[in-house]
Amino acid sequence: MHVSPKYLSETVRRHTGKSASYYINIATLPMVKEMLDRSDLSVSQIADHMNFGSVAYFSRYVSRHLGVSPKKYRSSIMPTD
């Protein structure tokens, strides 16, 4: 887009009243949930695929937005025998 993050953020907020990160989260969280639902992908693979800088940052992001760690989220959706 060839614009600075600050300019993008200010423009989005001015036109929508919401932050750019709000819209990023709306797009990102469903993808993260879907990938965590897939048991064949490790948390590390998901973090890499989603271009997070590290697994630790990905874990903090998931915990902040879903209320639980990726491991706990994954275990909550897995059926128990």
Side-chain angles (χ1 to χ4, degrees):
M1 292 177 64
H2 304 292
V3 297
S4 72
K6 182 178 179 181
Y7 176 79
L8 176 64
S9 183
E10 289 172 353
T11 302
V12 169
R13 187 175 297 277
R14 186 173 48 252
H15 289 283
T16 68
K18 304 227 186 249
S19 68
S21 62
Y22 170 82
Y23 292 103
I24 291 168
N25 291 334
I26 284 176
T28 303
L29 287 171
M31 289 187 283
V32 167
K33 286 180 180 181
E34 181 181 341
M35 288 186 193
L36 286 171
D37 292 346
R38 293 180 52 194
S39 61
D40 59 324
L41 295 174
S42 71
V43 172
S44 178
Q45 288 171 319
I46 296 169
D48 186 50
H49 181 77
M50 297 294 296
N51 294 316
F52 279 83
S54 69
V55 176
Y57 178 64
F58 175 73
S59 294
R60 285 191 306 272
Y61 178 86
V62 170
S63 295
R64 185 177 330 118
H65 294 286
L66 299 182
V68 293
S69 70
K71 184 177 178 179
K72 285 185 181 179
Y73 176 85
R74 185 170 264 176
S75 68
S76 73
I77 60 163
M78 293 295 179
T80 56
D81 295 331

Coordinates of all heavy atoms in Angstrom, one line a residue:
M1 N 0.8 -1.2 0.0 CA 0.0 0.0 0.0 C 0.9 1.3 0.0 O 0.4 2.3 -0.3 CB -0.9 0.0 1.2 CG -2.0 -1.1 1.1 SD -3.1 -1.2 2.5 CE -3.9 0.3 2.5
H2 N 2.1 1.1 0.4 CA 3.1 2.2 0.4 C 2.6 3.4 1.2 O 2.7 4.6 0.8 CB 3.3 2.7 -1.1 CG 3.8 1.6 -2.0 ND1 5.1 1.0 -1.8 CD2 3.2 1.0 -3.0 CE1 5.2 0.1 -2.7 NE2 4.1 0.0 -3.5
V3 N 2.1 3.1 2.4 CA 1.7 4.1 3.4 C 2.3 3.7 4.7 O 2.5 2.5 5.0 CB 0.2 4.4 3.5 CG1 -0.4 4.9 2.2 CG2 -0.5 3.1 4.0
S4 N 2.6 4.7 5.6 CA 3.1 4.3 6.9 C 2.0 3.7 7.8 O 0.8 4.0 7.6 CB 3.7 5.6 7.6 OG 2.6 6.4 8.0
P5 N 2.4 2.9 8.8 CA 1.4 2.3 9.7 C 0.6 3.4 10.4 O -0.6 3.3 10.6 CB 2.3 1.6 10.7 CG 3.5 1.2 9.9 CD 3.8 2.4 9.0
K6 N 1.3 4.5 10.7 CA 0.6 5.6 11.4 C -0.4 6.3 10.5 O -1.6 6.5 11.0 CB 1.6 6.7 11.9 CG 1.0 7.8 12.6 CD 2.0 8.8 13.1 CE 1.3 10.0 13.8 NZ 2.2 11.0 14.3
Y7 N -0.1 6.5 9.3 CA -1.1 7.1 8.4 C -2.2 6.2 8.1 O -3.4 6.6 8.2 CB -0.4 7.4 7.0 CG -1.3 7.9 6.0 CD1 -1.8 9.3 6.0 CD2 -1.9 7.1 5.0 CE1 -2.7 9.8 5.1 CE2 -2.8 7.6 4.1 CZ -3.2 8.9 4.1 OH -4.1 9.4 3.2
L8 N -2.0 4.9 8.0 CA -3.0 3.9 7.8 C -4.0 3.9 9.0 O -5.2 3.9 8.8 CB -2.5 2.5 7.5 CG -3.5 1.4 7.4 CD1 -4.4 1.6 6.2 CD2 -2.8 0.1 7.3
S9 N -3.4 3.8 10.2 CA -4.2 3.8 11.4 C -5.0 5.0 11.5 O -6.2 4.9 11.9 CB -3.2 3.6 12.6 OG -4.0 3.5 13.8
E10 N -4.5 6.2 11.3 CA -5.2 7.4 11.5 C -6.3 7.5 10.4 O -7.4 7.9 10.7 CB -4.3 8.6 11.3 CG -3.3 8.8 12.5 CD -2.3 9.9 12.3 OE1 -2.2 10.4 11.1 OE2 -1.6 10.2 13.2
T11 N -6.1 7.1 9.2 CA -7.1 7.1 8.1 C -8.2 6.2 8.4 O -9.4 6.5 8.3 CB -6.4 6.8 6.8 OG1 -5.4 7.7 6.5 CG2 -7.4 6.9 5.7
V12 N -7.9 5.0 8.8 CA -8.9 4.0 9.2 C -9.8 4.5 10.3 O -11.0 4.5 10.2 CB -8.3 2.6 9.5 CG1 -9.3 1.7 10.1 CG2 -7.7 2.0 8.3
R13 N -9.2 5.0 11.4 CA -9.9 5.5 12.5 C -10.8 6.7 12.1 O -12.0 6.8 12.5 CB -9.0 5.9 13.7 CG -9.8 6.3 14.9 CD -9.0 6.5 16.1 NE -8.2 5.4 16.6 CZ -8.7 4.4 17.3 NH1 -9.9 4.4 17.7 NH2 -7.9 3.4 17.7
R14 N -10.3 7.6 11.3 CA -11.0 8.8 10.9 C -12.3 8.4 10.1 O -13.3 8.9 10.2 CB -10.1 9.7 10.1 CG -10.8 11.0 9.7 CD -9.8 12.0 9.1 NE -9.0 11.5 8.0 CZ -7.7 11.2 8.0 NH1 -7.0 11.5 9.1 NH2 -7.1 10.8 7.0
H15 N -12.2 7.4 9.2 CA -13.3 7.0 8.4 C -14.2 6.0 9.0 O -15.4 5.9 8.6 CB -12.7 6.4 7.1 CG -12.1 7.4 6.2 ND1 -12.9 8.3 5.4 CD2 -10.8 7.8 5.9 CE1 -12.1 9.1 4.8 NE2 -10.8 8.8 5.1
T16 N -13.8 5.2 10.0 CA -14.6 4.1 10.5 C -14.9 4.3 12.0 O -15.8 3.7 12.5 CB -14.0 2.8 10.3 OG1 -12.8 2.6 11.1 CG2 -13.7 2.5 8.9
G17 N -14.1 5.1 12.7 CA -14.2 5.2 14.2 C -13.6 4.0 14.9 O -13.6 4.0 16.1
K18 N -13.0 3.1 14.2 CA -12.4 1.9 14.8 C -10.9 1.9 14.4 O -10.5 2.4 13.3 CB -13.0 0.6 14.4 CG -14.5 0.6 14.7 CD -14.9 -0.7 15.4 CE -16.4 -0.7 15.5 NZ -16.8 -0.7 16.9
S19 N -10.1 1.2 15.2 CA -8.6 1.1 14.9 C -8.4 0.1 13.8 O -9.2 -0.8 13.5 CB -7.9 0.8 16.1 OG -8.2 -0.6 16.5
A20 N -7.2 0.3 13.1 CA -6.8 -0.7 12.1 C -6.6 -2.1 12.7 O -7.0 -3.1 12.1 CB -5.5 -0.2 11.4
S21 N -6.1 -2.1 14.0 CA -5.9 -3.4 14.6 C -7.3 -4.1 14.9 O -7.3 -5.3 14.9 CB -5.1 -3.3 15.9 OG -5.8 -2.5 16.8
Y22 N -8.3 -3.4 15.1 CA -9.6 -4.0 15.2 C -10.0 -4.8 14.0 O -10.4 -5.9 14.1 CB -10.7 -2.9 15.5 CG -12.1 -3.4 15.4 CD1 -12.7 -4.0 16.5 CD2 -12.9 -3.2 14.2 CE1 -14.0 -4.4 16.4 CE2 -14.2 -3.7 14.2 CZ -14.7 -4.3 15.3 OH -16.0 -4.7 15.2
Y23 N -9.8 -4.2 12.8 CA -10.1 -4.9 11.6 C -9.1 -6.1 11.3 O -9.5 -7.1 10.8 CB -10.1 -3.9 10.4 CG -11.3 -3.0 10.5 CD1 -11.1 -1.7 11.0 CD2 -12.6 -3.4 10.3 CE1 -12.2 -0.8 11.1 CE2 -13.7 -2.6 10.4 CZ -13.5 -1.3 10.8 OH -14.6 -0.5 11.0
I24 N -7.9 -5.9 11.7 CA -6.9 -7.0 11.6 C -7.3 -8.2 12.4 O -7.3 -9.3 12.0 CB -5.5 -6.5 11.9 CG1 -5.0 -5.5 10.9 CG2 -4.5 -7.7 12.1 CD1 -3.7 -4.7 11.3
N25 N -7.8 -7.9 13.6 CA -8.2 -8.9 14.5 C -9.5 -9.6 14.0 O -9.6 -10.9 14.1 CB -8.5 -8.4 15.9 CG -7.2 -8.0 16.6 OD1 -6.1 -8.5 16.3 ND2 -7.3 -7.1 17.6
I26 N -10.4 -8.9 13.4 CA -11.6 -9.5 12.8 C -11.2 -10.5 11.8 O -11.8 -11.5 11.6 CB -12.5 -8.4 12.3 CG1 -13.2 -7.7 13.4 CG2 -13.5 -9.0 11.3 CD1 -14.1 -6.6 13.0
A27 N -10.2 -10.2 11.0 CA -9.7 -11.1 9.9 C -8.9 -12.2 10.4 O -8.9 -13.3 9.9 CB -9.0 -10.3 8.9
T28 N -8.1 -11.9 11.4 CA -7.1 -12.9 11.9 C -7.6 -14.0 12.8 O -7.3 -15.1 12.7 CB -5.9 -12.2 12.6 OG1 -5.4 -11.2 11.7 CG2 -4.8 -13.1 13.1
L29 N -8.5 -13.6 13.8 CA -8.9 -14.5 14.8 C -9.7 -15.7 14.2 O -9.5 -16.8 14.7 CB -9.8 -13.8 15.8 CG -8.9 -12.9 16.8 CD1 -9.8 -12.1 17.7 CD2 -8.0 -13.8 17.6
P30 N -10.6 -15.5 13.2 CA -11.2 -16.7 12.7 C -10.2 -17.7 12.0 O -10.4 -18.9 12.1 CB -12.2 -16.2 11.6 CG -12.5 -14.8 12.1 CD -11.2 -14.3 12.7
M31 N -9.2 -17.2 11.4 CA -8.2 -18.0 10.8 C -7.4 -18.8 11.9 O -7.1 -20.0 11.7 CB -7.2 -17.2 9.9 CG -7.9 -16.7 8.7 SD -6.7 -15.9 7.5 CE -6.5 -14.3 8.3
V32 N -7.0 -18.1 13.0 CA -6.3 -18.7 14.1 C -7.2 -19.8 14.7 O -6.7 -20.9 14.9 CB -5.9 -17.6 15.1 CG1 -5.5 -18.3 16.4 CG2 -4.9 -16.7 14.6
K33 N -8.4 -19.5 14.9 CA -9.3 -20.6 15.5 C -9.4 -21.8 14.6 O -9.3 -22.9 15.1 CB -10.7 -20.0 15.7 CG -10.9 -19.1 16.9 CD -12.3 -18.6 17.0 CE -12.5 -17.6 18.1 NZ -13.9 -17.2 18.2
E34 N -9.6 -21.5 13.3 CA -9.7 -22.7 12.4 C -8.4 -23.5 12.4 O -8.5 -24.7 12.4 CB -9.9 -22.1 10.9 CG -10.0 -23.2 9.9 CD -10.3 -22.7 8.5 OE1 -10.7 -21.6 8.3 OE2 -10.0 -23.5 7.6
M35 N -7.3 -22.9 12.4 CA -6.0 -23.6 12.4 C -5.8 -24.3 13.7 O -5.3 -25.4 13.8 CB -4.8 -22.7 12.1 CG -4.8 -22.2 10.7 SD -3.3 -21.3 10.4 CE -3.7 -20.6 8.8
L36 N -6.2 -23.7 14.9 CA -6.1 -24.4 16.1 C -7.1 -25.6 16.2 O -6.8 -26.6 16.8 CB -6.4 -23.5 17.3 CG -5.3 -22.5 17.6 CD1 -5.8 -21.5 18.6 CD2 -4.0 -23.2 18.1
D37 N -8.2 -25.5 15.5 CA -9.1 -26.6 15.4 C -8.5 -27.8 14.7 O -8.9 -29.0 14.9 CB -10.4 -26.2 14.7 CG -11.2 -25.2 15.5 OD1 -11.0 -25.1 16.7 OD2 -12.2 -24.6 15.0
R38 N -7.6 -27.6 13.8 CA -7.0 -28.6 13.0 C -5.8 -29.2 13.8 O -4.8 -28.6 14.1 CB -6.4 -28.1 11.7 CG -7.5 -27.6 10.7 CD -6.9 -27.1 9.5 NE -6.0 -28.0 8.9 CZ -5.1 -27.7 7.9 NH1 -5.1 -26.5 7.5 NH2 -4.3 -28.7 7.4
S39 N -6.0 -30.5 14.2 CA -5.0 -31.1 15.1 C -3.7 -31.4 14.4 O -2.7 -31.7 15.1 CB -5.6 -32.3 15.8 OG -6.0 -33.3 14.8
D40 N -3.7 -31.4 13.1 CA -2.4 -31.8 12.4 C -1.4 -30.6 12.3 O -0.3 -30.8 11.9 CB -2.8 -32.3 11.0 CG -3.5 -31.2 10.1 OD1 -4.3 -30.5 10.7 OD2 -3.2 -31.2 8.9
L41 N -1.8 -29.4 12.7 CA -0.8 -28.3 12.8 C -0.4 -28.0 14.2 O -1.3 -27.9 15.1 CB -1.5 -27.1 12.2 CG -1.8 -27.1 10.7 CD1 -2.6 -25.8 10.3 CD2 -0.6 -27.3 9.8
S42 N 0.9 -27.9 14.4 CA 1.4 -27.6 15.7 C 1.2 -26.1 16.0 O 1.0 -25.3 15.0 CB 2.8 -27.9 15.9 OG 3.6 -27.0 15.1
V43 N 1.2 -25.6 17.2 CA 1.1 -24.2 17.5 C 2.2 -23.4 16.9 O 2.0 -22.4 16.3 CB 1.1 -24.0 19.1 CG1 1.2 -22.5 19.4 CG2 -0.1 -24.6 19.7
S44 N 3.4 -24.0 16.8 CA 4.6 -23.4 16.2 C 4.3 -23.2 14.7 O 4.6 -22.2 14.1 CB 5.8 -24.3 16.4 OG 6.9 -23.7 15.8
Q45 N 3.8 -24.2 14.0 CA 3.5 -24.2 12.6 C 2.4 -23.1 12.3 O 2.5 -22.4 11.3 CB 3.0 -25.5 12.1 CG 4.1 -26.6 12.0 CD 3.5 -27.9 11.7 OE1 2.5 -28.3 12.2 NE2 4.2 -28.7 10.8
I46 N 1.4 -23.0 13.2 CA 0.4 -22.0 13.0 C 1.0 -20.6 13.2 O 0.7 -19.7 12.3 CB -0.8 -22.2 14.0 CG1 -1.5 -23.5 13.7 CG2 -1.8 -21.0 13.9 CD1 -2.4 -23.9 14.8
A47 N 1.8 -20.4 14.2 CA 2.4 -19.1 14.4 C 3.3 -18.7 13.2 O 3.2 -17.6 12.7 CB 3.3 -19.1 15.6
D48 N 4.0 -19.7 12.6 CA 4.8 -19.4 11.5 C 4.0 -19.1 10.3 O 4.2 -18.1 9.5 CB 5.7 -20.6 11.2 CG 6.7 -20.4 10.1 OD1 7.4 -19.3 10.1 OD2 6.7 -21.2 9.1
H49 N 2.9 -19.9 10.0 CA 2.0 -19.7 8.9 C 1.3 -18.3 8.9 O 1.1 -17.7 7.9 CB 1.0 -20.8 8.8 CG 0.0 -20.7 7.7 ND1 0.4 -21.0 6.4 CD2 -1.3 -20.2 7.7 CE1 -0.7 -20.8 5.6 NE2 -1.7 -20.3 6.4
M50 N 1.0 -17.9 10.1 CA 0.3 -16.6 10.3 C 1.3 -15.4 10.4 O 0.9 -14.3 10.6 CB -0.6 -16.6 11.6 CG -1.7 -17.6 11.5 SD -3.0 -17.3 10.3 CE -3.6 -15.7 10.9
N51 N 2.6 -15.7 10.2 CA 3.6 -14.7 10.2 C 3.8 -13.9 11.6 O 4.1 -12.7 11.6 CB 3.4 -13.7 9.1 CG 3.6 -14.3 7.7 OD1 4.5 -15.1 7.5 ND2 2.7 -14.1 6.8
F52 N 3.6 -14.6 12.7 CA 3.9 -14.0 14.0 C 5.4 -14.1 14.2 O 6.0 -15.1 13.7 CB 3.1 -14.8 15.1 CG 1.7 -14.4 15.2 CD1 0.7 -14.9 14.4 CD2 1.3 -13.4 16.2 CE1 -0.6 -14.5 14.5 CE2 0.0 -13.0 16.3 CZ -1.0 -13.6 15.5
G53 N 5.9 -13.2 14.9 CA 7.4 -13.1 15.0 C 8.0 -14.3 15.8 O 9.1 -14.7 15.7
S54 N 7.1 -14.8 16.7 CA 7.6 -15.9 17.6 C 6.4 -16.7 18.1 O 5.3 -16.2 18.1 CB 8.4 -15.4 18.7 OG 7.6 -14.7 19.7
V55 N 6.6 -17.9 18.6 CA 5.6 -18.7 19.2 C 5.1 -18.0 20.4 O 3.9 -18.0 20.7 CB 6.0 -20.1 19.4 CG1 5.0 -20.9 20.2 CG2 6.4 -20.8 18.1
A56 N 6.0 -17.4 21.2 CA 5.6 -16.7 22.4 C 4.6 -15.5 22.1 O 3.6 -15.4 22.8 CB 6.8 -16.2 23.1
Y57 N 4.9 -14.8 21.1 CA 4.0 -13.6 20.7 C 2.7 -14.2 20.3 O 1.6 -13.6 20.6 CB 4.7 -12.8 19.6 CG 3.8 -11.7 19.2 CD1 3.4 -10.7 20.1 CD2 3.3 -11.6 17.9 CE1 2.6 -9.6 19.7 CE2 2.4 -10.6 17.5 CZ 2.1 -9.6 18.4 OH 1.2 -8.6 18.0
F58 N 2.7 -15.2 19.5 CA 1.4 -15.9 19.0 C 0.6 -16.3 20.2 O -0.6 -16.1 20.3 CB 1.7 -17.0 18.1 CG 0.5 -17.8 17.7 CD1 -0.4 -17.3 16.8 CD2 0.3 -19.1 18.2 CE1 -1.5 -18.0 16.4 CE2 -0.9 -19.8 17.9 CZ -1.8 -19.2 17.0
S59 N 1.3 -17.0 21.2 CA 0.6 -17.4 22.4 C 0.0 -16.3 23.2 O -1.2 -16.4 23.7 CB 1.5 -18.2 23.3 OG 1.9 -19.4 22.6
R60 N 0.7 -15.2 23.3 CA 0.2 -14.0 24.0 C -1.0 -13.4 23.3 O -2.0 -13.0 23.9 CB 1.2 -12.9 24.2 CG 2.2 -13.3 25.3 CD 3.1 -12.1 25.6 NE 3.8 -11.5 24.5 CZ 5.0 -11.9 24.0 NH1 5.6 -12.9 24.6 NH2 5.5 -11.3 23.0
Y61 N -0.9 -13.4 21.9 CA -2.0 -12.8 21.1 C -3.3 -13.7 21.3 O -4.4 -13.1 21.5 CB -1.6 -12.8 19.6 CG -2.6 -12.4 18.7 CD1 -2.8 -11.0 18.4 CD2 -3.5 -13.2 18.1 CE1 -3.8 -10.6 17.5 CE2 -4.5 -12.8 17.2 CZ -4.6 -11.5 16.9 OH -5.6 -11.0 16.1
V62 N -3.1 -15.0 21.2 CA -4.3 -15.9 21.4 C -4.9 -15.8 22.8 O -6.1 -15.6 22.9 CB -3.9 -17.4 21.1 CG1 -5.0 -18.3 21.5 CG2 -3.5 -17.5 19.6
S63 N -4.0 -15.7 23.8 CA -4.5 -15.6 25.2 C -5.2 -14.3 25.4 O -6.3 -14.3 26.0 CB -3.3 -15.7 26.1 OG -2.7 -16.9 26.1
R64 N -4.7 -13.2 24.8 CA -5.4 -11.9 25.0 C -6.7 -11.9 24.3 O -7.7 -11.3 24.8 CB -4.5 -10.8 24.4 CG -5.0 -9.4 24.6 CD -4.1 -8.3 24.1 NE -2.7 -8.6 24.1 CZ -1.9 -8.6 23.0 NH1 -2.4 -8.4 21.8 NH2 -0.6 -8.9 23.1
H65 N -6.8 -12.5 23.1 CA -8.1 -12.4 22.3 C -9.1 -13.5 22.5 O -10.3 -13.3 22.3 CB -7.7 -12.2 20.8 CG -7.0 -10.9 20.6 ND1 -7.6 -9.7 20.6 CD2 -5.7 -10.7 20.3 CE1 -6.8 -8.7 20.3 NE2 -5.6 -9.3 20.2
L66 N -8.6 -14.7 22.9 CA -9.5 -15.8 23.1 C -9.7 -16.1 24.6 O -10.5 -17.0 24.9 CB -9.0 -17.0 22.4 CG -8.9 -16.9 20.8 CD1 -8.4 -18.2 20.2 CD2 -10.2 -16.5 20.2
G67 N -8.9 -15.5 25.4 CA -9.0 -15.7 26.9 C -8.3 -17.0 27.4 O -8.3 -17.2 28.6
V68 N -7.7 -17.8 26.5 CA -7.0 -19.0 27.0 C -5.8 -19.1 26.0 O -5.7 -18.6 24.9 CB -7.8 -20.2 26.9 CG1 -8.9 -20.2 28.0 CG2 -8.4 -20.5 25.5
S69 N -4.8 -19.9 26.5 CA -3.6 -20.2 25.7 C -4.0 -21.0 24.5 O -5.1 -21.7 24.5 CB -2.6 -20.9 26.5 OG -3.0 -22.2 26.8
P70 N -3.2 -21.1 23.4 CA -3.5 -22.0 22.3 C -3.7 -23.4 22.7 O -4.6 -24.1 22.3 CB -2.3 -21.8 21.4 CG -1.7 -20.5 21.7 CD -2.0 -20.3 23.2
K71 N -2.9 -23.9 23.6 CA -3.0 -25.3 24.1 C -4.3 -25.5 24.8 O -5.0 -26.5 24.6 CB -1.8 -25.6 25.0 CG -1.7 -27.0 25.5 CD -0.5 -27.3 26.3 CE -0.5 -28.7 26.8 NZ 0.7 -29.0 27.6
K72 N -4.7 -24.6 25.7 CA -6.0 -24.7 26.4 C -7.2 -24.6 25.4 O -8.1 -25.3 25.6 CB -6.1 -23.7 27.5 CG -5.2 -24.1 28.7 CD -5.5 -23.1 29.9 CE -4.6 -23.5 31.0 NZ -4.8 -22.6 32.2
Y73 N -7.1 -23.7 24.5 CA -8.1 -23.6 23.5 C -8.3 -24.9 22.7 O -9.4 -25.4 22.6 CB -7.8 -22.4 22.5 CG -8.9 -22.3 21.4 CD1 -10.1 -21.7 21.6 CD2 -8.7 -23.0 20.2 CE1 -11.0 -21.6 20.6 CE2 -9.7 -22.9 19.2 CZ -10.8 -22.2 19.4 OH -11.8 -22.2 18.4
R74 N -7.2 -25.4 22.3 CA -7.2 -26.7 21.5 C -7.7 -27.8 22.4 O -8.5 -28.6 21.9 CB -5.8 -27.0 21.1 CG -5.7 -28.2 20.2 CD -4.3 -28.3 19.5 NE -4.4 -27.7 18.2 CZ -3.4 -27.5 17.4 NH1 -2.2 -27.9 17.8 NH2 -3.6 -27.0 16.2
S75 N -7.4 -27.9 23.6 CA -7.9 -29.0 24.5 C -9.3 -28.8 24.8 O -10.0 -29.8 25.0 CB -7.0 -29.1 25.8 OG -7.2 -28.0 26.6
S76 N -9.8 -27.6 24.8 CA -11.3 -27.4 25.1 C -12.1 -27.8 23.9 O -13.3 -28.1 24.1 CB -11.5 -25.9 25.4 OG -11.4 -25.1 24.3
I77 N -11.6 -27.8 22.7 CA -12.4 -28.2 21.5 C -12.3 -29.7 21.2 O -13.0 -30.2 20.4 CB -12.1 -27.4 20.3 CG1 -10.6 -27.5 19.9 CG2 -12.4 -25.9 20.5 CD1 -10.3 -27.0 18.5
M78 N -11.2 -30.3 21.7 CA -11.0 -31.8 21.4 C -12.0 -32.6 22.2 O -12.1 -32.4 23.4 CB -9.6 -32.2 21.8 CG -8.5 -31.5 20.9 SD -8.8 -32.1 19.2 CE -7.5 -31.2 18.4
P79 N -12.6 -33.6 21.6 CA -13.5 -34.4 22.3 C -12.7 -35.3 23.3 O -11.6 -35.7 23.1 CB -14.2 -35.3 21.2 CG -13.2 -35.2 20.1 CD -12.5 -33.9 20.2
T80 N -13.4 -35.6 24.4 CA -12.8 -36.5 25.4 C -13.4 -37.8 25.3 O -14.6 -38.0 25.0 CB -13.0 -35.9 26.9 OG1 -14.4 -35.7 27.1 CG2 -12.3 -34.6 27.1
D81 N -12.6 -38.9 25.6 CA -13.1 -40.2 25.4 C -13.8 -40.7 26.7 O -13.6 -40.4 27.8 CB -12.0 -41.2 25.1 CG -11.4 -40.9 23.7 OD1 -12.2 -40.4 22.9 OD2 -10.2 -41.1 23.5

